[in-house]
Amino acid sequence: VWGPYRVVRLLGRGGMGEVYEAEQLETGRRLALKVLRHTLRGAEDRARFLREGQLAASISHPHTVYIFGSEEIGGAPPITMELLSGGTLKDRVSVDGPMPPSDAVSAVLDIIGGLDAAQAAGILHRDVKPSNCFVDADGTVKVGDFGLSISTLTRDVRHELAAAGFEGTPQFAAPEQLRGEPLDVRSDIYAVGATLYYLLTGRPPLDAPGLRALVSKVVSENPGSPRARRGDIPRKLAAVVLRCLAKAPAGRPQSYAELADLLRPYVAAGEVPSPPGPRLVAWIADSVIVSMLTWLLASSAWAAGSATTMLRLSAWSWLASVIYYLVLEGSWHASLGKRLMGLRVTSNLDDRWWLRVGLRTALFHVPTVIPALFIGAARAPGVVYTANTPPGGWSWNVPPEALSSVLLTPLLFSIARRRNGWLGVHEWLSGTRVVERNVPRRV
């Protein structure tokens, strides 16, 4: 127990303080307490710590961490703030890996909303990074930790690197901030771009083992495209990220509104990745439909007295499935089974839709086509293969190519995980995915 609070656990440490989960004894409310570190108890440090609380408390926005206030407990000035249970964006990437592009953009749009509100209040954050962006229980992302923030309404915004030493995180800081030059909103926009780069790739745009080498890199070297590290990132989205990371502030988006307009096309509004269950039901329905179509064609050929045509249809039955998926998913973005389950095929990439659908369809049918071709080639021409029914009665004669398809198709989904949106190998290679339609999604 510390003053009016019961301290539950340590949540994290920053440059100026430690943050604890705590319970307010009088009300039972859970909140977060930020306490000034023991090594920073001088008058100047104390004033700066309290100024952080004052600046953050002057912002009231759904995408900034809400500050209840500050008080005096045992000679220490804790800042009380809302408790966010989802950790930080850095935590999420550390556990689940890089985020899907639409999720990363959605998170950054939340960040932009909070920073835009801070700018309207005359506050420059100066330390935007994944570990300072917190996730609420419902997935909302909120900007916090205004420990390095300054008010643009009271004095010239200048950070003297040579005199005070760099304060912040160099991997996410703009070149002009590292050089100690005057800052404006475009410096925080650089940090937003670096944060988006990290969410998409799991790595900062530039990195080096030592501070001096890192500062030199950020000031003088251009980062590589995030597509070089992850090919399913849309080209135009990668271009927006690199524009945010321009060395000169004039080359970046000039406002949060401009940046938000550039990013909104990459948010999959109304779409979420489909889990395996609905996809399995859709596949079963499509398989029944394709089998019925093949049977109808074969029956028509038999009725017309064309046994040769019927045998060809039987040997090339997989072709009906290929045409079925290619035509329907290429034209309508969904086979009949997917439409029945409210699913559709889409892509985060920008162009060549038919090529992507064609590659997706071909890869999906590899477990059926390749064994069929090899087995067909191994059979002697002109020989009819039949199953001998055992004297005991029933037997189940499964064609070898059908059995190989059943055994090999699950390998396509060996990489499917919740964190990658249940992508199969054929989807990863073709840049496509299956999503649920008409699902409300926060933007």
PDB file of all heavy atoms in Angstrom, residues 328-348:
ATOM      1  N   LEU A 328     -14.768 -17.530 -61.230  1.00  0.00           N
ATOM      2  CA  LEU A 328     -15.603 -16.900 -60.205  1.00  0.00           C
ATOM      3  C   LEU A 328     -14.797 -15.965 -59.301  1.00  0.00           C
ATOM      4  O   LEU A 328     -15.235 -14.854 -58.993  1.00  0.00           O
ATOM      5  CB  LEU A 328     -16.306 -17.978 -59.366  1.00  0.00           C
ATOM      6  CG  LEU A 328     -17.335 -18.833 -60.109  1.00  0.00           C
ATOM      7  CD1 LEU A 328     -18.039 -19.778 -59.138  1.00  0.00           C
ATOM      8  CD2 LEU A 328     -18.360 -17.963 -60.807  1.00  0.00           C
ATOM      9  N   GLU A 329     -13.614 -16.406 -58.843  1.00  0.00           N
ATOM     10  CA  GLU A 329     -12.831 -15.544 -57.956  1.00  0.00           C
ATOM     11  C   GLU A 329     -12.169 -14.408 -58.726  1.00  0.00           C
ATOM     12  O   GLU A 329     -11.921 -13.339 -58.162  1.00  0.00           O
ATOM     13  CB  GLU A 329     -11.796 -16.378 -57.204  1.00  0.00           C
ATOM     14  CG  GLU A 329     -12.450 -17.346 -56.226  1.00  0.00           C
ATOM     15  CD  GLU A 329     -11.449 -18.115 -55.383  1.00  0.00           C
ATOM     16  OE1 GLU A 329     -10.226 -18.047 -55.689  1.00  0.00           O
ATOM     17  OE2 GLU A 329     -11.870 -18.801 -54.423  1.00  0.00           O
ATOM     18  N   GLY A 330     -11.898 -14.618 -60.011  1.00  0.00           N
ATOM     19  CA  GLY A 330     -11.351 -13.539 -60.806  1.00  0.00           C
ATOM     20  C   GLY A 330     -12.379 -12.468 -61.126  1.00  0.00           C
ATOM     21  O   GLY A 330     -12.075 -11.281 -61.134  1.00  0.00           O
ATOM     22  N   SER A 331     -13.629 -12.901 -61.370  1.00  0.00           N
ATOM     23  CA  SER A 331     -14.681 -11.952 -61.754  1.00  0.00           C
ATOM     24  C   SER A 331     -15.415 -11.373 -60.554  1.00  0.00           C
ATOM     25  O   SER A 331     -15.649 -10.166 -60.478  1.00  0.00           O
ATOM     26  CB  SER A 331     -15.683 -12.646 -62.678  1.00  0.00           C
ATOM     27  OG  SER A 331     -15.046 -13.142 -63.844  1.00  0.00           O
ATOM     28  N   TRP A 332     -15.786 -12.234 -59.593  1.00  0.00           N
ATOM     29  CA  TRP A 332     -16.644 -11.812 -58.486  1.00  0.00           C
ATOM     30  C   TRP A 332     -15.914 -11.818 -57.140  1.00  0.00           C
ATOM     31  O   TRP A 332     -16.511 -11.524 -56.111  1.00  0.00           O
ATOM     32  CB  TRP A 332     -17.855 -12.730 -58.384  1.00  0.00           C
ATOM     33  CG  TRP A 332     -18.739 -12.711 -59.593  1.00  0.00           C
ATOM     34  CD1 TRP A 332     -18.801 -11.751 -60.559  1.00  0.00           C
ATOM     35  CD2 TRP A 332     -19.681 -13.721 -59.967  1.00  0.00           C
ATOM     36  NE1 TRP A 332     -19.719 -12.077 -61.506  1.00  0.00           N
ATOM     37  CE2 TRP A 332     -20.290 -13.294 -61.183  1.00  0.00           C
ATOM     38  CE3 TRP A 332     -20.090 -14.931 -59.423  1.00  0.00           C
ATOM     39  CZ2 TRP A 332     -21.262 -14.032 -61.820  1.00  0.00           C
ATOM     40  CZ3 TRP A 332     -21.063 -15.668 -60.065  1.00  0.00           C
ATOM     41  CH2 TRP A 332     -21.638 -15.224 -61.249  1.00  0.00           C
ATOM     42  N   HIS A 333     -14.624 -12.186 -57.123  1.00  0.00           N
ATOM     43  CA  HIS A 333     -13.834 -12.250 -55.893  1.00  0.00           C
ATOM     44  C   HIS A 333     -14.337 -13.329 -54.933  1.00  0.00           C
ATOM     45  O   HIS A 333     -13.929 -13.354 -53.765  1.00  0.00           O
ATOM     46  CB  HIS A 333     -13.825 -10.899 -55.159  1.00  0.00           C
ATOM     47  CG  HIS A 333     -13.008  -9.854 -55.849  1.00  0.00           C
ATOM     48  ND1 HIS A 333     -11.783  -9.426 -55.384  1.00  0.00           N
ATOM     49  CD2 HIS A 333     -13.232  -9.151 -56.985  1.00  0.00           C
ATOM     50  CE1 HIS A 333     -11.309  -8.504 -56.191  1.00  0.00           C
ATOM     51  NE2 HIS A 333     -12.165  -8.325 -57.180  1.00  0.00           N
ATOM     52  N   ALA A 334     -15.194 -14.227 -55.399  1.00  0.00           N
ATOM     53  CA  ALA A 334     -15.695 -15.264 -54.497  1.00  0.00           C
ATOM     54  C   ALA A 334     -16.295 -16.399 -55.308  1.00  0.00           C
ATOM     55  O   ALA A 334     -17.031 -16.180 -56.274  1.00  0.00           O
ATOM     56  CB  ALA A 334     -16.746 -14.699 -53.542  1.00  0.00           C
ATOM     57  N   SER A 335     -15.969 -17.640 -54.924  1.00  0.00           N
ATOM     58  CA  SER A 335     -16.657 -18.802 -55.466  1.00  0.00           C
ATOM     59  C   SER A 335     -18.048 -18.884 -54.837  1.00  0.00           C
ATOM     60  O   SER A 335     -18.380 -18.125 -53.915  1.00  0.00           O
ATOM     61  CB  SER A 335     -15.850 -20.068 -55.141  1.00  0.00           C
ATOM     62  OG  SER A 335     -15.743 -20.214 -53.728  1.00  0.00           O
ATOM     63  N   LEU A 336     -18.862 -19.816 -55.320  1.00  0.00           N
ATOM     64  CA  LEU A 336     -20.220 -19.930 -54.778  1.00  0.00           C
ATOM     65  C   LEU A 336     -20.192 -20.319 -53.301  1.00  0.00           C
ATOM     66  O   LEU A 336     -21.000 -19.830 -52.496  1.00  0.00           O
ATOM     67  CB  LEU A 336     -21.018 -20.954 -55.589  1.00  0.00           C
ATOM     68  CG  LEU A 336     -21.247 -20.578 -57.067  1.00  0.00           C
ATOM     69  CD1 LEU A 336     -22.039 -21.681 -57.774  1.00  0.00           C
ATOM     70  CD2 LEU A 336     -21.978 -19.250 -57.176  1.00  0.00           C
ATOM     71  N   GLY A 337     -19.273 -21.199 -52.940  1.00  0.00           N
ATOM     72  CA  GLY A 337     -19.164 -21.598 -51.538  1.00  0.00           C
ATOM     73  C   GLY A 337     -18.751 -20.438 -50.649  1.00  0.00           C
ATOM     74  O   GLY A 337     -19.273 -20.267 -49.540  1.00  0.00           O
ATOM     75  N   LYS A 338     -17.828 -19.625 -51.113  1.00  0.00           N
ATOM     76  CA  LYS A 338     -17.398 -18.462 -50.330  1.00  0.00           C
ATOM     77  C   LYS A 338     -18.530 -17.443 -50.209  1.00  0.00           C
ATOM     78  O   LYS A 338     -18.724 -16.832 -49.152  1.00  0.00           O
ATOM     79  CB  LYS A 338     -16.161 -17.829 -50.970  1.00  0.00           C
ATOM     80  CG  LYS A 338     -14.891 -18.667 -50.823  1.00  0.00           C
ATOM     81  CD  LYS A 338     -13.686 -17.943 -51.389  1.00  0.00           C
ATOM     82  CE  LYS A 338     -12.411 -18.743 -51.170  1.00  0.00           C
ATOM     83  NZ  LYS A 338     -12.378 -19.975 -51.960  1.00  0.00           N
ATOM     84  N   ARG A 339     -19.283 -17.241 -51.293  1.00  0.00           N
ATOM     85  CA  ARG A 339     -20.406 -16.305 -51.216  1.00  0.00           C
ATOM     86  C   ARG A 339     -21.445 -16.813 -50.221  1.00  0.00           C
ATOM     87  O   ARG A 339     -22.057 -16.028 -49.472  1.00  0.00           O
ATOM     88  CB  ARG A 339     -21.038 -16.119 -52.594  1.00  0.00           C
ATOM     89  CG  ARG A 339     -20.157 -15.358 -53.579  1.00  0.00           C
ATOM     90  CD  ARG A 339     -20.834 -15.213 -54.930  1.00  0.00           C
ATOM     91  NE  ARG A 339     -22.000 -14.338 -54.852  1.00  0.00           N
ATOM     92  CZ  ARG A 339     -21.958 -13.017 -54.987  1.00  0.00           C
ATOM     93  NH1 ARG A 339     -20.788 -12.398 -55.196  1.00  0.00           N
ATOM     94  NH2 ARG A 339     -23.052 -12.294 -54.923  1.00  0.00           N
ATOM     95  N   LEU A 340     -21.648 -18.116 -50.197  1.00  0.00           N
ATOM     96  CA  LEU A 340     -22.595 -18.703 -49.245  1.00  0.00           C
ATOM     97  C   LEU A 340     -22.178 -18.424 -47.805  1.00  0.00           C
ATOM     98  O   LEU A 340     -23.024 -18.165 -46.940  1.00  0.00           O
ATOM     99  CB  LEU A 340     -22.693 -20.219 -49.486  1.00  0.00           C
ATOM    100  CG  LEU A 340     -23.598 -21.007 -48.534  1.00  0.00           C
ATOM    101  CD1 LEU A 340     -25.054 -20.605 -48.744  1.00  0.00           C
ATOM    102  CD2 LEU A 340     -23.413 -22.505 -48.754  1.00  0.00           C
ATOM    103  N   MET A 341     -20.871 -18.420 -47.527  1.00  0.00           N
ATOM    104  CA  MET A 341     -20.359 -18.208 -46.170  1.00  0.00           C
ATOM    105  C   MET A 341     -20.004 -16.752 -45.895  1.00  0.00           C
ATOM    106  O   MET A 341     -19.458 -16.435 -44.830  1.00  0.00           O
ATOM    107  CB  MET A 341     -19.110 -19.082 -45.956  1.00  0.00           C
ATOM    108  CG  MET A 341     -19.383 -20.583 -46.024  1.00  0.00           C
ATOM    109  SD  MET A 341     -20.666 -21.095 -44.863  1.00  0.00           S
ATOM    110  CE  MET A 341     -19.889 -20.679 -43.303  1.00  0.00           C
ATOM    111  N   GLY A 342     -20.294 -15.856 -46.829  1.00  0.00           N
ATOM    112  CA  GLY A 342     -19.999 -14.443 -46.615  1.00  0.00           C
ATOM    113  C   GLY A 342     -18.521 -14.123 -46.688  1.00  0.00           C
ATOM    114  O   GLY A 342     -18.041 -13.224 -45.991  1.00  0.00           O
ATOM    115  N   LEU A 343     -17.781 -14.836 -47.542  1.00  0.00           N
ATOM    116  CA  LEU A 343     -16.340 -14.630 -47.675  1.00  0.00           C
ATOM    117  C   LEU A 343     -16.021 -14.070 -49.054  1.00  0.00           C
ATOM    118  O   LEU A 343     -16.817 -14.189 -49.992  1.00  0.00           O
ATOM    119  CB  LEU A 343     -15.583 -15.948 -47.475  1.00  0.00           C
ATOM    120  CG  LEU A 343     -15.909 -16.751 -46.215  1.00  0.00           C
ATOM    121  CD1 LEU A 343     -15.097 -18.041 -46.194  1.00  0.00           C
ATOM    122  CD2 LEU A 343     -15.646 -15.932 -44.966  1.00  0.00           C
ATOM    123  N   ARG A 344     -14.850 -13.480 -49.179  1.00  0.00           N
ATOM    124  CA  ARG A 344     -14.385 -13.015 -50.483  1.00  0.00           C
ATOM    125  C   ARG A 344     -12.868 -13.058 -50.515  1.00  0.00           C
ATOM    126  O   ARG A 344     -12.205 -13.022 -49.481  1.00  0.00           O
ATOM    127  CB  ARG A 344     -14.889 -11.604 -50.788  1.00  0.00           C
ATOM    128  CG  ARG A 344     -14.268 -10.521 -49.955  1.00  0.00           C
ATOM    129  CD  ARG A 344     -15.011  -9.190 -50.126  1.00  0.00           C
ATOM    130  NE  ARG A 344     -14.999  -8.722 -51.490  1.00  0.00           N
ATOM    131  CZ  ARG A 344     -14.091  -7.892 -51.984  1.00  0.00           C
ATOM    132  NH1 ARG A 344     -13.115  -7.438 -51.211  1.00  0.00           N
ATOM    133  NH2 ARG A 344     -14.139  -7.495 -53.222  1.00  0.00           N
ATOM    134  N   VAL A 345     -12.329 -13.143 -51.727  1.00  0.00           N
ATOM    135  CA  VAL A 345     -10.882 -13.124 -51.940  1.00  0.00           C
ATOM    136  C   VAL A 345     -10.461 -11.700 -52.266  1.00  0.00           C
ATOM    137  O   VAL A 345     -11.087 -11.031 -53.096  1.00  0.00           O
ATOM    138  CB  VAL A 345     -10.472 -14.071 -53.088  1.00  0.00           C
ATOM    139  CG1 VAL A 345      -8.956 -14.043 -53.297  1.00  0.00           C
ATOM    140  CG2 VAL A 345     -10.926 -15.491 -52.790  1.00  0.00           C
ATOM    141  N   THR A 346      -9.433 -11.219 -51.607  1.00  0.00           N
ATOM    142  CA  THR A 346      -8.952  -9.871 -51.851  1.00  0.00           C
ATOM    143  C   THR A 346      -7.433  -9.873 -51.808  1.00  0.00           C
ATOM    144  O   THR A 346      -6.807 -10.918 -51.610  1.00  0.00           O
ATOM    145  CB  THR A 346      -9.530  -8.884 -50.809  1.00  0.00           C
ATOM    146  OG1 THR A 346      -9.150  -7.555 -51.150  1.00  0.00           O
ATOM    147  CG2 THR A 346      -9.025  -9.214 -49.412  1.00  0.00           C
ATOM    148  N   SER A 347      -6.838  -8.708 -51.982  1.00  0.00           N
ATOM    149  CA  SER A 347      -5.384  -8.584 -51.983  1.00  0.00           C
ATOM    150  C   SER A 347      -5.001  -7.226 -51.418  1.00  0.00           C
ATOM    151  O   SER A 347      -5.688  -6.226 -51.662  1.00  0.00           O
ATOM    152  CB  SER A 347      -4.817  -8.737 -53.407  1.00  0.00           C
ATOM    153  OG  SER A 347      -3.419  -8.503 -53.413  1.00  0.00           O
ATOM    154  N   ASN A 348      -3.903  -7.210 -50.670  1.00  0.00           N
ATOM    155  CA  ASN A 348      -3.354  -5.951 -50.177  1.00  0.00           C
ATOM    156  C   ASN A 348      -2.488  -5.265 -51.227  1.00  0.00           C
ATOM    157  O   ASN A 348      -2.072  -4.121 -51.040  1.00  0.00           O
ATOM    158  CB  ASN A 348      -2.502  -6.189 -48.925  1.00  0.00           C
ATOM    159  CG  ASN A 348      -3.364  -6.513 -47.726  1.00  0.00           C
ATOM    160  OD1 ASN A 348      -4.479  -6.019 -47.602  1.00  0.00           O
ATOM    161  ND2 ASN A 348      -2.866  -7.364 -46.850  1.00  0.00           N
TER     162      ASN A 348
END
